[in-house]
Amino acid sequence: MLVILMEDQILAPQQVCQSCLLADSSGQPRWRQGQLRCGHTVSKRSERQPVQYECMMGFRIVNIE
């Protein structure tokens, strides 16, 4: 499940990506084969953290399994 991390909130991508020009046709982040295609990987702070991505719009996205 993809989530967007804010300073003090966790948001569903539908709340943010719907208005993004880089989102796919259903208003979701371009997630394919375990990679965010509309952003880049952010380095992990620890091995226990999931991989974080930063989208082109500046939001942090995490895939929580």
Side-chain angles (χ1 to χ4, degrees), residues 3-65:
V3 296
I4 295 178
L5 301 177
M6 303 292 282
E7 285 185 25
D8 59 347
Q9 296 179 26
I10 297 175
L11 302 172
Q14 297 88 330
Q15 294 176 283
V16 176
C17 300
Q18 288 284 342
S19 60
C20 180
L21 296 175
L22 300 173
D24 67 14
S25 60
S26 64
Q28 295 293 311
R30 293 186 182 273
W31 182 262
R32 193 172 329 128
Q33 297 176 344
Q35 296 286 337
L36 183 69
R37 301 293 182 195
C38 53
H40 64 275
T41 305
V42 178
S43 60
K44 290 174 142 183
R45 292 187 178 157
S46 75
E47 287 301 314
R48 294 178 50 190
Q49 282 187 326
V51 177
Q52 292 186 21
Y53 299 88
E54 184 173 72
C55 74
M56 299 285 197
M57 301 300 290
F59 295 102
R60 293 276 174 124
I61 298 176
V62 177
N63 185 28
I64 299 175
E65 297 176 9

